[in-house]
Amino acid sequence: MVVVIVQLFEFAQKTTLSAVAQSLQDLLTTGQANDQALTNAVELVDATKRYVLAGIVVLSVVFGMIAAHLSLRPLREALSMQRRFISSVAHELRTPLAVLRVENEVAALEVKPDHPVHITLKQNLQEIDRITEILNNLLLFNRVKSVNISAFEMVDLLSVAETVVERLRRLSGSKGVSLSLESAPTVNVYGNRAALEQAIFNIIKNAIVYSNRGGEVALSFSEISDRQVTVVVKDRGIGIAKKDLSRIFEPFYRSARSADNREGTGIGLSLVYEIVKLHRGKIRVDSEPGVGTTFEITLPRGVVSPVDKGSESEGFTYDFTSQ
Ligand code: ADP
């Protein structure tokens, strides 16, 4: 490209000079300048200037892209190293945690339920479950971010929702929050079952955790068409302040209020974000502090290719509003 630009310059220079020289010669021999030759030369120089400018713009863009690619390489490598590190730590921790869990369960069986040791062991078990869940979220977060987890297939979303509701029955019971699933026809989407289950799980779990005793969490489907389906999770919990709405999908972000007094890590929604993005879906949050929160995840129903890792959020939008 550089060579072409230089040659264009040379060509323009030569043409102009020879046109001027010719004109001078005509003027000296015939006493009249050749205006036509000069006009042609000026037009040619103008055209050449335009080509040269376009060439410079193209060159700058290409070089800019190459420079950005090269300068971001160390950052990409550092990020991928960080992910590998988190993955291996999480993997390593899972086995001793599983052993701890079994030992605590066995020990709890040997003490009477009202004994203080039994109560402590039960609390230990809850903490172990919590850490295991954090590790699972971290592992899945890394997989969604870095690897092609994309074993995509037709997934029955209703059965996913039923599984999640069953898994969370105990938690909702212990928190005194009612959990309902509105009946719906079978809804198939093209996606990754484990990832979709985790996304819906995280949203419903939040809805339960951020509700007060006596609260209600409802899961339903809306806007079912051939092209898409929307999963709606509605709670009447503490709600999300407007200033927090734009940040809740960031990894490790927790609103001040929830960080004070509720368990959590701030990973759940960032994982939901990545999963919805992977499925080329859309997520929307509507919330009012003290009144409640509604999360809506819209997923395309046709066969879609998963969003490439590292690509920008093409086909993915999130949208949050507060009344
Ligand atoms: P956490 O582990 O803190 O729940 P998440 O990423 O799942 O992390 O959520 C981020 C933050 O979003 C939470 O700390 C909480 O402030 C807010 N949040 C999420 N869901 C709800 C909800 N249903 N009601 C109120 N606040 C919520």
Side-chain angles (χ1 to χ4, degrees):
M1 178 65 87
V2 179
V3 176
V4 173
I5 290 178
V6 170
Q7 293 213 327
L8 276 174
F9 259 127
E10 260 180 33
F11 172 71
Q13 197 183 19
K14 272 187 200 150
T15 318
T16 326
L17 283 178
S18 67
V20 173
Q22 184 63 49
S23 267
L24 274 176
Q25 204 173 1
D26 288 351
L27 187 64
L28 290 173
T29 48
T30 63
Q32 273 188 340
N34 187 343
D35 290 348
Q36 189 55 45
L38 271 177
T39 316
N40 286 347
V42 170
E43 275 170 8
L44 199 66
V45 170
D46 277 349
T48 313
K49 252 192 330 203
R50 279 198 295 277
Y51 286 128
V52 168
L53 266 177
I56 288 172
V57 170
V58 172
L59 261 186
S60 320
V61 171
V62 170
F63 280 127
M65 279 166 72
I66 293 173
H69 185 79
L70 290 180
S71 59
L72 285 176
R73 188 187 280 166
L75 192 69
R76 275 199 303 272
E77 282 169 2
L79 269 176
S80 112
M81 235 171 75
Q82 189 196 37
R83 278 190 204 126
R84 282 202 301 275
F85 175 74
I86 293 176
S87 270
S88 23
V89 171
H91 264 301
E92 289 301 317
L93 288 176
R94 279 213 303 190
T95 317
L97 271 176
V99 175
L100 264 181
R101 184 167 214 299
V102 174
E103 284 177 353
N104 271 268
E105 263 178 343
V106 172
L109 286 177
E110 287 172 5
V111 223
K112 285 203 178 106
D114 55 350
H115 196 282
V117 173
H118 185 93
I119 296 166
T120 309
L121 289 169
K122 282 287 172 194
Q123 282 167 350
N124 285 354
L125 280 170
Q126 275 175 6
E127 286 306 308
I128 291 171
D129 285 346
R130 199 179 144 234
I131 301 172
T132 310
E133 197 192 314
I134 295 171
L135 293 182
N136 288 342
N137 266 331
L138 270 178
L139 279 172
L140 196 61
F141 185 73
N142 269 1
R143 276 173 66 206
V144 175
K145 281 296 266 181
S146 56
V147 199
N148 203 357
I149 76 160
S150 331
F152 269 38
E153 55 181 352
M154 281 328 259
V155 179
D156 174 4
L157 216 50
L158 183 62
S159 109
V160 172
E162 282 165 353
T163 311
V164 173
V165 167
E166 270 326 297
R167 281 175 64 196
L168 285 166
R169 275 263 178 254
R170 231 176 60 196
L171 178 74
S172 67
S174 71
K175 300 258 175 201
V177 173
S178 82
L179 175 57
S180 65
L181 168 60
E182 197 179 273
S183 66
T186 303
V187 193
N188 286 323
V189 293
Y190 189 67
N192 182 282
R193 186 179 168 110
L196 289 173
E197 188 175 320
Q198 189 68 45
I200 298 176
F201 180 94
N202 288 358
I203 292 204
I204 301 184
K205 190 183 165 219
N206 278 347
I208 297 170
V209 169
Y210 298 110
S211 283
N212 295 312
R213 205 154 262 284
E216 288 166 24
V217 174
L219 169 60
S220 58
F221 295 94
S222 74
E223 294 173 3
I224 307 175
S225 73
D226 291 346
R227 298 188 53 212
Q228 63 176 48
V229 57
T230 301
V231 183
V232 184
V233 177
K234 193 175 172 66
D235 69 54
R236 296 189 183 178
I238 63 172
I240 305 169
K242 199 170 182 180
K243 70 173 179 45
D244 291 322
L245 271 180
S246 58
R247 302 203 56 197
I248 53 174
F249 293 102
E250 289 173 18
F252 306 110
Y253 185 81
R254 311 197 63 216
S255 76
R257 215 173 143 198
S258 41
D260 278 352
N261 52 17
R262 317 245 168 173
E263 66 252 37
T265 56
I267 303 177
L269 283 185
S270 52
L271 184 55
V272 173
Y273 176 96
E274 293 299 335
I275 292 171
V276 175
K277 177 175 163 186
L278 183 78
H279 286 80
R280 295 185 188 272
K282 183 165 91 173
I283 189 162
R284 177 188 158 95
V285 191
D286 219 324
S287 190
E288 192 178 348
V291 175
T293 304
T294 303
F295 277 88
E296 290 181 357
I297 295 180
T298 301
L299 296 164
R301 295 193 63 194
V303 174
V304 290
S305 54
V307 170
D308 289 341
K309 49 200 174 214
S311 76
E312 268 318 298
S313 31
E314 186 198 336
F316 176 82
T317 56
Y318 69 95
D319 168 356
F320 32 82
T321 48
S322 94
Q323 295 146 3

